[in-house]
Amino acid sequence: MNQLIKNNLLGIKELSLEEIELIFETADNFKDVINRPIKKVPSLRDVTIANIFFENSTRTQLSFELAEKRLSADVVNFSSSSSSVKKGETLLDTVNNILSMKVDMIVIRHSSPGAPHFLAKKVNSKIVNAGDGTHEHPTQALLDTYSIRERLGSIEGKKVVIVGDILHSRVALSNIFALQKLGAEVMVCGPATLLPKYISALGVKVELDIRKALNWCDVANILRIQLERQRKSYFPSLREYSLYYGVNKEMINALDKEIIILHPGPINRGVEITSSVADADNALILDQVENGVAIRMAVLYLLAGKLE
Amino acid sequence: MQKRLLLDSQLLQITIQRLCQHLIENHNDFSSALILGLQPRGVFLANRIQKVIQELEGCHVEIGYLDTTFHRDDFRRRGIPKKASETRVPFLIEGKDVILVDDVLFTGRSVRAAMDAMISFGRPKKVELLVLIDRLHTRQLPIEANYVGKQVNTLASQYVEVGLKEQNGDDSIWLMNIEAE
């Protein structure tokens, strides 16, 4: 296989195993490129990409922008806080306006689940989902699994636990799809109020006790507590969450094996993870950030190859 | 399909030997020269050249691999994106004499892309090109080789098939005719 089947990257759910592996292999090459003295290749020099962020983001937007620039694409950025969206313009109008300025590809983040899927049906442009509400965040799951693959050699047969707010997390859902396609066993762990009621229907194990979960796994992906998404109280206080679900050094030391720690960032140090765990050698947090650029270069490169 | 043998196993070996002699003549002990093989088949040739020079002169030439996929000017013009191979340049090329190695010189576009890819690793003092087969009168860019295994008159509709042992071939190079339907 040497090209993607789909014309857009909307979610991991729609990707085949072969497509994920193609993205990984392409990312290997780009990881090599971004570690050279000159970190740039001219592949996308005639392509213009718009990063449309209707929701705040620092690292994802920065990572996409770096990926685009290292492929030599022209980049325009749009964020809703400084735009006509505030004046009442619809999503489709906003995007059509941007496309009229001859933009070839769109990277979109939106607070509504399905916003990129809606656009993909309405406009004739390549669309990359950079996070749609609580639904999917495909490039994050790709870089998470890529980082695990890089450290452990393969993902097949590995046990991965995703800890924290599963209910509001698009990272969790995309990761579940990606890990299962790559042959891993997946468990979710968190307070019962933050686990979706029917999550086990996805074929994942459910565990309420963090110590048992850590004992079971090879890899723990610790999610951030997203206070901005919680309209009501799912747990009494941050301090209590931290007491029951915060991962600390003592828990890691109590295990009879070494596990790998992932975190999609930004870290709330002392809440879901302590500094001593986040800064340890088996935490891949900064590798994830580096791999994010390579993964996004691979996705954009492969999709650009399908432009007419 | 008609085909004509350009080089057989024995001739190929002799040709590589001659090219190596020529390289040694120009670069002595290779203290300031490096070889970059172009993926995929230029890499196999570069490996063979390294070995022959070692045998002939007892000196070690450093070799690297260049992949031109991300530097091609025909990305998105050939339908499907090409999958990249490994680029490995484990040394500085700044101020060195670089010898690019490829199997066939046809339009010159791969070599242009290779020079572009190479510049990412520094500014060489001098760049030379070594090819096994030079297809005459097919160039689309002003690029010529410094070391040529064999020159062949070809038509644009023909192609050169290189079967090297490293790729389960029998070390023979053929000129193939694609017959019109």
Side-chain angles (χ1 to χ4, degrees):
Chain A
M1 171 175 253
N2 51 14
Q3 67 171 339
L4 296 175
I5 299 163
K6 302 284 182 315
N7 281 316
N8 304 295
L9 179 67
L10 302 177
I12 301 289
K13 196 178 180 184
E14 293 89 7
L15 281 183
S16 67
L17 175 62
E18 291 74 27
E19 286 175 294
I20 295 176
E21 277 166 356
L22 172 65
I23 293 170
F24 284 179
E25 282 162 27
T26 312
D28 286 338
N29 296 121
F30 284 121
K31 182 147 186 192
D32 192 42
V33 168
I34 59 178
N35 280 298
R36 284 180 199 163
I38 295 177
K39 301 167 179 56
K40 206 168 168 163
V41 291
S43 303
L44 266 57
R45 66 190 139 201
D46 50 353
V47 173
T48 307
I49 304 177
N51 298 321
I52 310 182
F53 280 68
F54 290 97
E55 207 182 56
N56 287 336
S57 158
T58 332
R59 90 195 51 213
T60 306
Q61 190 168 358
L62 189 67
S63 179
F64 266 110
E65 198 173 333
L66 273 174
E68 289 150 5
K69 288 185 169 165
R70 285 178 178 164
L71 289 165
S72 304
D74 288 318
V75 184
V76 284
N77 285 306
F78 170 100
S79 64
S80 61
S81 53
S82 57
S83 74
S84 298
V85 176
K86 288 263 185 299
K87 298 172 194 165
E89 193 175 46
T90 66
L91 171 63
L92 191 55
D93 282 339
T94 304
V95 170
N96 273 329
N97 271 283
I98 292 167
L99 289 177
S100 304
M101 299 182 227
K102 307 299 168 209
V103 167
D104 304 293
M105 294 170 78
I106 285 184
V107 175
I108 181 174
R109 167 167 289 191
H110 201 282
S111 54
S112 298
H117 304 69
F118 165 76
L119 278 183
K121 279 187 207 144
K122 300 280 182 187
V123 303
N124 182 26
S125 166
K126 302 281 171 280
I127 292 174
V128 180
N129 181 1
D132 57 333
T134 55
H135 181 217
E136 279 227 44
H137 190 353
T139 54
Q140 179 71 44
L142 288 170
L143 74 90
D144 287 346
T145 44
Y146 182 80
S147 303
I148 300 172
R149 165 187 177 266
E150 190 179 57
R151 180 62 73 102
L152 297 180
S154 126
I155 293 184
E156 202 170 347
K158 298 290 184 300
K159 294 172 176 168
V160 184
V161 64
I162 305 170
V163 182
D165 181 357
I166 312 298
L167 187 63
H168 297 97
S169 175
R170 53 191 172 216
V171 177
L173 191 60
S174 287
N175 257 290
I176 290 170
F177 290 139
L179 288 164
Q180 287 181 336
K181 286 185 184 191
L182 289 159
E185 270 187 86
V186 188
M187 176 187 277
V188 293
C189 175
T193 48
L194 288 175
L195 299 177
K197 200 169 174 186
Y198 300 108
I199 188 83
S200 56
L202 288 176
V204 301
K205 292 183 165 55
V206 179
E207 177 60 63
L208 298 177
D209 185 337
I210 179 79
R211 283 165 209 275
K212 282 185 191 158
L214 292 177
N215 236 329
W216 172 85
C217 74
D218 302 307
V219 180
N221 194 348
I222 321 280
L223 304 181
R224 182 175 65 96
I225 285 300
Q226 305 188 57
L227 292 170
E228 73 273 19
R229 277 186 213 288
Q230 292 171 7
R231 291 192 191 89
K232 55 181 181 177
S233 291
Y234 291 90
F235 46 83
S237 68
L238 268 186
R239 191 173 134 75
E240 188 161 331
Y241 179 84
S242 178
L243 265 173
Y244 284 95
Y245 289 97
V247 177
N248 56 40
K249 196 76 195 168
E250 171 234 329
M251 281 179 188
I252 300 292
N253 288 343
L255 303 173
D256 51 10
K257 58 181 173 184
E258 184 164 289
I259 63 165
I260 285 172
I261 304 289
L262 278 83
H263 191 301
I267 309 176
N268 294 317
R269 283 177 187 265
V271 180
E272 69 269 0
I273 190 169
T274 60
S275 287
S276 54
V277 177
D279 301 332
D281 285 341
N282 58 335
L284 302 187
I285 301 170
L286 293 175
D287 298 291
Q288 287 173 269
V289 181
E290 180 184 347
N291 290 338
V293 178
I295 281 286
R296 290 175 176 120
M297 285 173 84
V299 167
L300 293 166
Y301 173 79
L302 291 168
L303 284 177
K306 307 199 81 184
L307 284 168
E308 271 132 42
Chain B
M1 190 187 284
Q2 285 184 308
K3 57 184 194 175
R4 179 160 69 92
L5 186 65
L6 297 178
L7 291 175
D8 62 14
S9 172
Q10 199 189 354
L11 260 176
L12 179 68
Q13 211 180 341
I14 294 169
T15 306
I16 291 175
Q17 290 272 344
R18 174 172 58 77
L19 290 169
C20 288
Q21 295 283 7
H22 198 170
L23 284 173
I24 292 165
E25 204 178 313
N26 285 349
H27 297 282
N28 300 315
D29 59 352
F30 293 88
S31 54
S32 63
L34 306 161
I35 291 177
L36 289 178
L38 270 57
Q39 290 277 16
R41 278 180 294 271
V43 167
F44 302 130
L45 282 177
N47 286 334
R48 289 198 196 187
I49 288 169
Q50 184 188 42
K51 210 173 140 211
V52 172
I53 290 173
Q54 180 84 48
E55 283 163 11
L56 289 174
E57 281 294 286
C59 59
H60 179 74
V61 199
E62 296 221 68
I63 61 168
Y65 310 150
L66 269 188
D67 183 79
T68 60
T69 308
F70 301 135
H71 295 268
R72 292 204 61 106
D73 56 7
D74 50 3
F75 175 61
R76 304 208 289 114
R77 288 172 185 83
R78 287 163 306 158
I80 51 173
K82 213 176 123 196
K83 214 157 144 183
S85 307
E86 184 197 16
T87 289
R88 187 166 52 176
V89 185
F91 37 67
L92 290 173
I93 63 169
E94 192 76 32
K96 297 277 188 176
D97 293 338
V98 173
I99 304 144
L100 297 174
V101 173
D102 204 1
D103 55 346
V104 180
L105 178 58
F106 179 33
T107 59
R109 285 181 194 267
S110 301
V111 177
R112 188 215 59 81
M115 287 195 279
D116 195 17
M118 176 191 68
I119 298 296
S120 305
F121 296 94
R123 181 182 183 273
K125 191 172 111 217
K126 187 178 177 189
V127 184
E128 294 181 322
L129 175 62
L130 180 152
V131 294
L132 210 47
I133 302 292
D134 178 9
R135 296 181 64 172
L136 298 168
H137 315 304
T138 52
R139 219 73 76 238
Q140 293 169 359
L141 292 168
I143 284 170
E144 291 306 333
N146 305 73
Y147 310 93
V148 176
K150 188 181 172 89
Q151 288 187 317
V152 205
N153 268 311
T154 63
L155 301 168
S157 63
Q158 294 172 314
Y159 74 96
V160 176
E161 191 172 272
V162 180
L164 296 178
K165 277 190 179 133
E166 289 89 337
Q167 289 184 312
N168 300 320
D170 54 357
D171 265 4
S172 60
I173 297 172
W174 297 82
L175 182 63
M176 319 285 277
N177 277 322
I178 308 163
E179 273 159 43
E181 301 261 324

